[in-house]
């Protein structure tokens, strides 16, 4: 992937990148492009998809960390260990 494409992807929000992917797929499915342009569009779509998958994986990792902090066991100082 070229540096220009990478920079363009970094500037897009997740929603914008999804819209770009949807637009790219629609253009490819329309079967109106010449072969060379189809290949460029396909390459761009693959780059978009990889970027979106990475963003989702990063978001999932952040959620997992946050959920883990909620499930962290309390230490003995804050846990009532007396028998009632």
């Amino acid at each position: 992937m070229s540096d220009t494409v990478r920079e363009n992807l970094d500037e897009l929000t997740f929603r914008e990148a999804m819209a770009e992917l949807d637009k790219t797929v629609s253009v490819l499915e329309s079967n109106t492009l010449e072969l060379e342009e189809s290949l460029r569009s396909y390459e761009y779509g693959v780059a978009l998809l990889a970027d979106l998958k990475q963003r989702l994986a990063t978001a999932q990792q952040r959620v997992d960390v946050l959920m883990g902090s909620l499930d962290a066991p309390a230490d003995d100082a804050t846990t009532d260990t007396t028998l009632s």
Side-chain angles (χ1 to χ4, degrees):
M1 166 174 37
S2 72
D3 290 337
T4 305
V5 171
R6 179 79 247 159
E7 290 171 10
N8 290 344
L9 294 179
D10 290 340
E11 293 176 6
L12 298 174
T13 66
F14 185 84
R15 187 178 305 259
E16 291 168 339
M18 285 289 295
E20 278 288 308
L21 181 60
D22 187 47
K23 183 174 78 172
T24 301
V25 168
S26 293
V27 168
L28 286 167
E29 287 178 340
S30 71
N31 208 18
T32 58
L33 301 175
E34 293 296 324
L35 177 61
E36 296 79 10
E37 186 62 28
S38 291
L39 288 172
R40 279 191 293 276
S41 292
Y42 186 79
E43 181 179 15
Y44 182 57
V46 168
L48 280 165
L49 184 58
D51 182 69
L52 289 165
K53 288 176 90 174
Q54 179 58 45
R55 291 185 196 199
L56 285 173
T58 300
Q60 181 63 54
Q61 185 177 22
R62 289 177 65 189
V63 168
D64 291 344
V65 167
L66 291 169
M67 292 302 293
S69 68
L70 291 176
D71 295 336
D75 61 356
D76 286 340
T78 59
T79 303
D80 181 11
T81 56
T82 60
L83 297 175
S84 303

